[in-house]
Amino acid sequence: MKLSRLSALLLSGLLLSACAAKPKSDYDIGYDFSQLSTFIEFSPAQTNDPISSARIIDAITDALTAKGFVRDEGYPSFKVTYAFKVADKPKDSGVSIGLGTGTWGSNGGISIGTSVGVPIGSDTAKIQTIQIDVIDTQSNKLIWRGTDKFNFDAGGAEKAEDTAKTVTKILTLFPPQK
């Protein structure tokens, strides 16, 4: 009995980790990323959310300097910009089906059941997608792009923390390892 519980626990952990969002990236396979050492970040021309914009810029700067790149407004070897969008994501319906086994005394049994959750509050969540672009300064061409997203229900400190974590996750893929 203990083995089946352990198996169920391991299976559920595996399924949950498979559902976690992972950042994605693409890059110019012919580019020599080893020549990059200095950067400058810049915001898109227009943004309707200056708070999120400032958080993303700060997180980009922090993540790149932590990786050993130096911010240089005079002669950067690459430029970093970003885009982001917020969309509604329907929340789970709350309907679930379960299968269970159990014993009581010398009797055993199997049961199947359903449950219906009652949504409290809004029936949608927000999802923010962040895209980071790295542009070669000399050619002005895109050489790397990374994206990831996160769910949020409200702004404030929690969203600021999630923004920083997401940007850091994206930039773990930069520069690409061949």
Side-chain angles (χ1 to χ4, degrees):
M1 195 59 146
K2 287 185 179 183
L3 184 59
S4 65
R5 284 184 184 169
L6 180 60
S7 297
L9 182 63
L10 289 174
L11 180 62
S12 64
L14 181 64
L15 291 173
L16 284 175
S17 67
C19 295
K22 294 182 181 168
K24 296 169 183 54
S25 70
D26 193 11
Y27 60 93
D28 180 347
I29 58 173
Y31 191 83
D32 179 13
F33 287 90
S34 65
Q35 67 182 351
L36 302 178
S37 60
T38 58
F39 73 96
I40 188 69
E41 70 285 318
F42 65 95
S43 298
Q46 289 185 335
T47 180
N48 60 354
D49 185 352
I51 294 173
S52 290
S53 184
R55 289 175 180 157
I56 293 169
I57 282 287
D58 290 345
I60 287 171
T61 303
D62 292 346
L64 288 175
T65 54
K67 291 173 95 38
F69 294 103
V70 176
R71 186 175 186 280
D72 183 354
E73 291 182 26
Y75 299 103
S77 53
F78 66 96
K79 300 183 278 187
V80 184
T81 190
Y82 63 91
F84 65 95
K85 71 176 183 175
V86 175
D88 288 332
K89 175 185 169 197
K91 286 189 179 176
D92 295 333
S93 67
V95 177
S96 61
I97 299 174
L99 174 65
T101 63
T103 59
W104 182 260
S106 62
N107 299 324
I110 298 176
S111 65
I112 297 177
T114 62
S115 69
V116 177
V118 177
I120 298 175
S122 172
D123 61 348
T124 61
K126 299 282 186 194
I127 188 164
Q128 181 162 319
T129 303
I130 300 174
Q131 172 183 299
I132 299 174
D133 290 341
V134 174
I135 300 160
D136 177 74
T137 305
Q138 297 297 321
S139 64
N140 211 30
K141 289 185 179 180
L142 178 68
I143 56 172
W144 185 89
R145 173 174 282 166
T147 60
D148 199 6
K149 56 189 169 186
F150 65 93
N151 297 332
F152 68 95
D153 287 323
E158 187 176 329
K159 185 178 177 198
E161 192 174 301
D162 288 342
T163 299
K165 285 180 185 176
T166 302
V167 168
T168 301
K169 280 187 348 184
I170 293 168
L171 290 173
T172 59
L173 302 175
F174 178 79
Q177 305 298 315
K178 293 187 179 183

